[in-house]
Amino acid sequence: MERYIRQTMLSEIGEEGQHLIGKASVLLVGVGGLGSVIGQYLVAAGIGEIGLVDADTISLHNLQRQILYREPQIGLPKALTAKQSLQKLNSEVNIEAYNVKFTKTNALSLAENYDIIIDGTDNYTTRYLLNDVCVGLDKPLVYGAISEFYGQVSVFNYQGGATYRCLYPQAEEEQTTPVGVFGMLPGIIGCMEVCEVIKMITHTGSVLKNKLFTLDLLQSTSTLIDINPDPAQRQIALERFKELG
C-alpha cells in the first residue's frame, strides 16, 4: 500500500476505501482534453480496470490542453498512446484501449462490463448515447463539458437520480465551428469528474446527484444548480436504449 499511503491516510478513504478503488472498473469515453487529465488521475488513484475509448489521432493543436501527449506522438492513435503512457504511471492497473468511436452499434458491448462511465467527449450526439446506455444498464454517468472559459460537471443516473435528458430534454445542435478552450479548464473539470468517481466508489462525501456544478474561470465564479429528475425523460432514454444493436 506504499503507493497509496497519502490516500489511505484520509479517514474517509482508508485501506478499505483503497480496496474498493482497486476493485472498481471505469470506462472513459474520450481521451482528449478532459480525458487526458481524467485518465492520469484514475490511474494514479489505483482504479482496478480502466477502458479508454477514442478513435481520434493526436494533432499539434491538441497539445495546448491535452497534456497526456507529446510532440513525437503527433499522428498516433489517442487511445493506444494513452494506454502506453498511463501504464507507465501505474503498472498495477489493467488498462484496455478501444481505438473506435463510441456508437450505437458498440455502445452496449463497451459499457456493460464497467461499473462507472465517464464522459470525456466534446459532442452532444455521444452524450445522449452515453446517457441512454447508462440509464438502460443502470450505471452512473459522470458528465463534464467545457467551452471557452466555462465548464460543467454532474453525475447522472446515480441511485435513480436525474439523467442528462433531464437537464437537456431537447437534442442540442452540434457545434460546426470549433470554439476556443482555455488550456487549464479541462484540467480543473477533469479533476472534478475523477473526484465524483472516487466519492461514489468509496461511499464518501456528497456526490453531484441532481446537481450541476458550473464554473466560470474568467470571472472566478461557480454555481450549483438543482436538476429535477423527469420520469418522462428517463422513459425516453430507456426507449432509445432498446433501439441499440
Side-chain angles (χ1 to χ4, degrees), residues 16-120:
E16 181 179 351
Q18 189 62 50
H19 179 67
L20 293 173
I21 291 171
K23 290 175 58 179
S25 61
V26 174
L27 182 70
L28 170 57
V29 182
V31 198
L34 291 169
S36 289
V37 175
I38 293 168
Q40 291 183 81
Y41 277 99
L42 288 176
V43 167
I47 297 292
E49 294 193 24
I50 300 172
L52 307 173
V53 181
D54 203 310
D56 200 5
T57 56
I58 302 164
S59 301
L60 178 61
H61 65 83
N62 297 151
L63 303 185
Q64 166 257 0
R65 64 201 178 281
Q66 300 182 18
I67 61 172
L68 184 59
Y69 308 116
R70 301 293 180 262
E71 288 183 359
Q73 298 170 328
I74 290 174
L76 298 178
K78 287 184 180 178
L80 300 176
T81 306
K83 175 183 176 178
Q84 293 175 355
S85 298
L86 294 172
Q87 205 71 80
K88 293 176 183 178
L89 175 59
N90 192 342
S91 60
E92 298 175 357
V93 175
N94 180 32
I95 304 174
E96 293 293 333
Y98 305 98
N99 188 32
V100 296
K101 186 176 181 181
F102 192 81
T103 66
K104 291 182 178 180
T105 57
N106 63 20
L108 187 59
S109 61
L110 286 171
E112 61 184 354
N113 294 321
Y114 292 88
D115 302 325
I116 299 172
I117 314 299
I118 307 183
D119 173 18

